[in-house]
Amino acid sequence: MSAASALDPPRPRRRHSVREILGRSDYAIISELIEPNSRVLDLGCGDGALLAWLADHKRVDARGVEIDGEKVKRAIAQGVSVYQGDINEALADYPDQCFDYIILSQTLQETRQPLQVLREMLRVGRRAVVAFPNFGHWSVRLAMLFFGRAPKTRLFPYEWYDSPNIHFLSIDDFELLIARERLAVERAYFLAGRRTFRVLPNLLAEVAVYLLRR
Amino acid sequence: MIFHPETHYVRFASLALDCGAALAPVDVAYQAYGRLNAARSNAILILHAFSGDAHAAGINPQTGKPGWWDSMIGPGRAFDTDRYYVVCSNVLGGCRGTTGPSSINPATGQPYAMTFPVITIGDMVRLQKMLVDQLGIERLLAVAGGSMGGMQALQWAVSYPDRVAGVIPIAATARHSAQQIAFNEVGRQAIIADPDWNEGNYYATDRKPARGLAVARMVGHITYMSDTSMREKFGRRLRAKEKYGYDFSAEFEVESYLRYRGSEFVNRFDANSYLYITKAMDYFDLTNGSHSLAGVFARVQARFLVLSFTSDWLYPSYQSQEIVRALRSRNLDVAYCELPSAYGHDAFLVEVEEQAELVRGFLARTLRMQAAA
């Protein structure tokens, strides 16, 4: 999205256009999960593309946190309220239950204390939307078995030494954590490319998206 | 496109001050650019820093100089005068058209000098609000300013929460720190130590406390730059010579720059205004010493764009971050970015590209949200 488009009047709503605009299947799912006119905080929001889309199409009160200054600038230039800072620190400042949704899209595996982040998300927000890459995917398993090297996925093709990922969790790992924390799963989506899976997600899905609440 | 702005003046019967005194009457000098729309919903108040004035944009027809934020205000610029009605007024206590210590006290027929009452940032903002009322603007789309202008922007949000939709404090603080007070005090003492200051009564004489005021300005300029920007701009270069002269003339380029800036300032600024305005900044504490900053923001409704600069050591980023954290604990809508710059505190005047896109996006969204509300 260019800065100029932020100045244009809001476009009429089109279904599924988010996938065309953002080109990310987890974004498409998330955008469908979020109720119109709700309050949303996106952790690690990048250049704010998802938030800008939600603000324009669902009249969402959209806020974000991002550590990378260049991305923060691009987000603010689109009119999205983004704070440059660390996810943990940002969450700690907010009062309880002041957002309808807290989004953590593909950054859970990058946080130092994922459990703490998850708990804070559900303190500050009524619901948490968590999307993460599934390191239980068959291609990761095969690569580990045959090549004996650190996991890479199609979406996260980093070498171990320059990867932002510091945790390599699978869908089954996450399900165990949810059970232990007694969190309720309202919705869950398991994706690979444009396909959605219902069976054997831990083997077939590249990305999982959960809608959680306490 | 070059335009020559006009300075307008309004007179108000009186202004009640935080110190308990009242000023009567009070004149305000202001300039306005762009056009107020029919709904009166596109007005932006620009707030100048310590030594600024109402001439924020356009070219002064007498001096040929651009306004102090000309690169940010104008057609197609960050504060786009094709879209917005932009107003900037000289602050209370100033010496560029608004009532200050150099103005004539109607009770005596003499300049106020040191009989001028001590003023605060709150007083400056109260007077600006009277101007905004006078202009028939019920709710400002935004208030924006750097440094002392940023402090006024914060004061606006707190004093008149229902009168402003967007607040843009740049390189500012919620309270002056010991270091900021200390530098101001050095400037004030330089003026007071000048025998030509004469207890502030120099207006009738042909001698102004020029040396004291120039030294004050030299100190100020050092605090507005950074080690990096001074090294890049001057280094150890000598001016118009290759060898040391072993004397105390302005040999180093940095010396001659500071002397030039100091003497130039004397021509356009009043020494007593220097005393009063720096004191107003030093008194500035949004919390008033008692409440937490978050408590002060309890009634605030505006959305915020807070900006700071990496090399600004006079108004360091932690001070902006303190504001942002307090706003967030109130669940207020705030965007914050620490912009990379080597220019120190001066960055808010210099880093136009860096700021323009952010201001533009923030204003466009604020206008849209206001229209939708």
Side-chain angles (χ1 to χ4, degrees):
Chain A
M1 258 188 158
S2 72
S5 69
L7 302 174
D8 296 334
R11 287 168 296 271
R13 194 176 160 192
R14 271 194 302 152
R15 290 198 74 77
H16 304 301
S17 60
V18 66
R19 194 186 294 247
E20 297 154 31
I21 294 168
L22 304 172
R24 269 177 61 172
S25 54
D26 59 322
Y27 274 8
I29 298 286
I30 291 169
S31 68
E32 282 165 26
L33 285 175
I34 304 292
E35 294 289 331
N37 299 308
S38 55
R39 293 162 301 165
V40 175
L41 175 65
D42 187 355
L43 304 173
C45 63
D47 64 5
L50 176 62
L51 287 171
W53 191 91
L54 288 171
D56 288 342
H57 293 76
K58 293 204 163 186
R59 297 176 56 102
V60 156
D61 180 351
R63 322 264 179 92
V65 184
E66 172 60 48
I67 195 89
D68 181 333
E70 280 303 314
K71 289 178 181 165
V72 173
K73 276 160 58 180
R74 288 205 295 276
I76 298 175
Q78 294 189 66
V80 180
S81 296
V82 172
Y83 165 77
Q84 184 180 7
D86 170 77
I87 287 174
N88 287 304
E89 178 208 319
L91 278 172
D93 289 337
Y94 282 111
D96 293 352
Q97 304 287 291
C98 64
F99 286 97
D100 296 310
Y101 302 94
I102 312 282
I103 300 172
L104 186 66
S105 183
Q106 311 228 13
T107 38
L108 183 67
Q109 76 285 355
E110 297 177 17
T111 59
R112 197 153 283 284
Q113 304 276 356
L115 179 54
Q116 197 186 316
V117 170
L118 199 57
R119 285 174 178 164
E120 272 290 275
M121 286 172 74
L122 286 164
R123 176 186 70 77
V124 174
R126 296 196 299 119
R127 287 178 170 77
V129 179
V130 182
F132 59 88
N134 173 32
F135 290 96
H137 188 252
W138 61 266
S139 66
V140 179
R141 300 189 197 194
L142 282 184
M144 191 75 181
L145 185 63
F146 286 115
F147 305 112
R149 294 182 43 198
K152 283 198 235 176
T153 74
R154 193 171 59 82
L155 294 174
F156 287 85
Y158 305 102
E159 294 293 343
W160 65 272
Y161 46 80
D162 64 3
S163 171
N165 304 326
I166 54 176
H167 305 287
F168 299 93
L169 75 161
S170 70
I171 289 170
D172 285 357
D173 288 326
F174 193 68
E175 291 276 353
L176 280 170
L177 180 65
I178 289 169
R180 227 190 66 191
E181 288 289 303
R182 298 170 191 279
L183 302 180
V185 177
E186 291 201 337
R187 310 273 273 280
Y189 299 88
F190 308 108
L191 320 164
R194 291 182 170 232
R195 296 181 61 196
T196 307
F197 297 95
R198 291 189 182 278
V199 291
L200 297 176
N202 198 36
L203 197 60
L204 300 176
E206 290 177 328
V207 172
V209 183
Y210 283 82
L211 178 63
L212 304 168
R213 64 175 167 74
R214 277 244 168 259
Chain B
M1 192 185 78
I2 295 171
F3 74 99
H4 300 301
E6 219 184 306
T7 304
H8 309 279
Y9 298 88
V10 222
R11 173 161 288 190
F12 296 102
S14 91
L15 172 71
L17 302 173
D18 284 344
C19 69
L23 267 175
V26 184
D27 294 320
V28 179
Y30 74 97
Q31 295 192 356
Y33 324 105
R35 194 163 280 168
L36 189 61
N37 64 14
R40 297 173 179 264
S41 62
N42 68 335
I44 296 172
L45 184 65
I46 300 291
L47 307 156
H48 71 70
F50 166 64
S51 65
D53 56 23
H55 179 213
I59 307 295
N60 180 321
Q62 274 96 51
T63 64
K65 281 195 173 169
W68 60 268
W69 227 10
D70 184 60
S71 49
M72 288 286 284
I73 305 165
R77 296 186 182 161
F79 297 96
D80 187 348
T81 50
D82 289 338
R83 282 166 180 270
Y84 307 115
Y85 178 64
V86 179
V87 178
C88 181
S89 66
N90 186 212
V91 293
L92 178 68
C95 49
R96 311 281 292 170
T98 295
T99 299
S102 59
S103 305
I104 301 295
N105 179 354
T108 63
Q110 302 293 316
Y112 282 102
M114 298 309 282
T115 67
F116 195 73
V118 171
I119 51 166
T120 64
I121 299 289
D123 294 331
M124 294 175 183
V125 167
R126 200 171 304 119
L127 183 59
Q128 287 157 2
K129 192 244 176 195
M130 287 160 71
L131 174 66
V132 167
D133 285 341
Q134 173 84 16
L135 295 172
I137 298 159
E138 206 157 291
R139 193 161 189 249
L140 290 162
L141 178 68
V143 292
S147 195
M148 187 181 85
M151 298 181 220
Q152 295 165 54
L154 292 169
Q155 187 69 56
W156 258 96
V158 171
S159 294
Y160 306 108
D162 49 348
R163 300 292 301 271
V164 55
V167 180
I168 310 179
I170 304 173
T173 180
R175 59 172 82 83
H176 241 211
S177 68
Q179 181 177 272
Q180 287 154 345
I181 295 169
F183 279 115
N184 277 348
E185 174 62 1
V186 172
R188 285 191 293 265
Q189 288 304 323
I191 291 167
I192 288 169
D194 187 330
D196 291 336
W197 179 63
N198 189 29
E199 305 295 318
N201 298 308
Y202 50 82
Y203 296 110
T205 69
D206 57 356
R207 300 182 72 83
K208 289 194 287 184
R211 286 166 299 170
L213 182 57
V215 170
R217 189 57 173 173
M218 289 165 80
V219 174
H221 265 289
I222 298 167
T223 66
Y224 304 153
M225 294 186 278
S226 72
D227 179 43
T228 306
S229 67
M230 289 178 88
R231 198 170 59 231
E232 283 172 2
K233 191 166 184 171
F234 313 110
R236 290 186 52 82
R237 279 193 307 278
L238 300 180
R239 185 170 168 76
K241 58 165 90 167
E242 272 154 32
K243 290 180 182 165
Y244 298 157
Y246 299 100
D247 59 25
F248 291 95
S249 64
E251 284 187 298
F252 290 102
E253 279 204 1
V254 65
E255 290 176 305
S256 99
Y257 172 83
L258 289 176
R259 288 190 194 187
Y260 167 72
R261 283 312 189 107
S263 62
E264 175 213 47
F265 190 62
V266 170
N267 297 327
R268 68 175 177 96
F269 212 80
D270 176 50
N272 287 338
S273 274
Y274 194 108
L275 302 182
Y276 278 91
I277 297 176
T278 56
K279 194 71 189 177
M281 283 195 274
D282 291 349
Y283 277 133
F284 184 65
D285 178 1
L286 265 189
T287 64
N288 254 330
S290 53
H291 302 90
S292 72
L293 193 51
V296 172
F297 289 140
R299 290 175 55 241
V300 169
Q301 302 165 19
R303 61 199 304 264
F304 287 73
L305 171 61
V306 180
L307 300 175
S308 66
F309 297 93
T310 48
S311 60
D312 184 349
W313 56 275
L314 185 60
Y315 290 81
S317 290
Y318 82 84
Q319 295 183 331
S320 288
Q321 285 157 5
E322 186 190 16
I323 295 163
V324 172
R325 295 188 65 150
L327 290 169
R328 229 176 13 204
S329 74
R330 284 275 157 203
N331 197 21
L332 286 159
D333 184 344
V334 50
Y336 167 70
C337 192
E338 183 186 34
L339 296 170
S341 172
Y343 287 106
H345 187 53
D346 267 340
F348 84 91
L349 294 169
V350 183
E351 297 284 8
V352 172
E353 291 294 315
E354 290 280 320
Q355 296 173 86
E357 281 301 304
L358 309 191
V359 167
R360 196 173 287 142
F362 177 81
L363 291 176
R365 181 78 68 179
T366 308
L367 186 66
R368 245 190 291 170
M369 287 172 72
Q370 187 167 263

